[in-house]
Amino acid sequence: MSTDRTRPAGRRDQNGPRSAPSGPRSAPNGPRPVPPQRSRRLQPHRPLRPHQWFAERLLAVLSGQRPVHWMLGHTIGEAYDQLAELAPSTPLRATHGSRPVLRHCRGAQPATGVVEAFASIAAGDRVRAMAFRLEQGADQRWRCAAVELGGERLTAGAPGPR
């Protein structure tokens, strides 16, 4: 057994590890320069915008993945009541084994401290629409002030919206 701790076990040559060449070598028989490794550039993680963050949370509640009270500190006014009314029926639940996903989420700022947003949610072959309003409080935290769902299918005998 070797007592030399600088070599891996089983290595028989006397050379130690070599450092990478510092530049291209001009000697024809010398080792070829090692090209720089191409690393995958990782995009810096961008934090979600408030409307995107809320869209993900609302989707989790309305699809039954999270309970309604998960949104208690993030809603104001009638928004929590609207969620409590919508959530038991899990309107955005998975259909035919496909979990609902957020496809698009856009927001507009009609006034300072207010964001009105809409999102499209896909589950299988169905696409649903969700609209919500966010308001920024004195503590600079965003809270959901209203939620509406669209995309209900109309049946042939059902009266249309008025």
Side-chain angles (χ1 to χ4, degrees):
M1 179 169 184
S2 174
T3 59
D4 186 2
R5 302 271 183 205
T6 60
R7 278 194 308 261
R11 186 171 176 173
R12 302 212 190 297
D13 64 346
Q14 297 299 318
N15 295 333
R18 286 193 237 171
S19 60
S22 59
R25 298 207 178 214
S26 58
N29 295 335
R32 293 186 179 172
V34 177
Q37 295 221 354
R38 294 182 185 181
S39 63
R40 193 190 228 178
R41 284 199 179 258
L42 297 176
Q43 296 295 328
H45 178 68
R46 289 187 346 206
L48 292 177
R49 293 183 172 167
H51 61 277
Q52 294 166 326
W53 187 83
F54 271 91
E56 291 284 352
R57 281 185 157 297
L58 291 169
L59 173 60
V61 169
L62 295 173
S63 65
Q65 297 171 26
R66 293 285 185 169
V68 181
H69 67 268
W70 193 52
M71 293 293 289
L72 261 176
H74 304 291
T75 55
I76 57 175
E78 294 180 18
Y80 185 78
D81 297 334
Q82 290 169 327
L83 279 176
E85 185 179 317
L86 289 170
S89 64
T90 58
L92 300 178
R93 69 185 166 275
T95 57
H96 304 291
S98 47
R99 187 172 169 201
V101 293
L102 187 65
R103 286 181 44 182
H104 300 288
C105 184
R106 302 281 190 270
Q109 205 166 5
T112 304
V114 175
V115 172
E116 291 182 349
F118 67 91
S120 64
I121 292 122
D125 61 348
R126 291 190 58 150
V127 176
R128 302 283 307 270
M130 176 173 62
F132 53 98
R133 179 183 174 97
L134 303 177
E135 295 178 3
Q136 194 172 28
D139 60 356
Q140 301 301 306
R141 290 181 56 200
W142 290 96
R143 291 180 179 87
C144 185
V147 180
E148 288 188 22
L149 287 178
E152 295 296 328
R153 289 187 180 177
L154 297 177
T155 58
R162 293 179 186 210

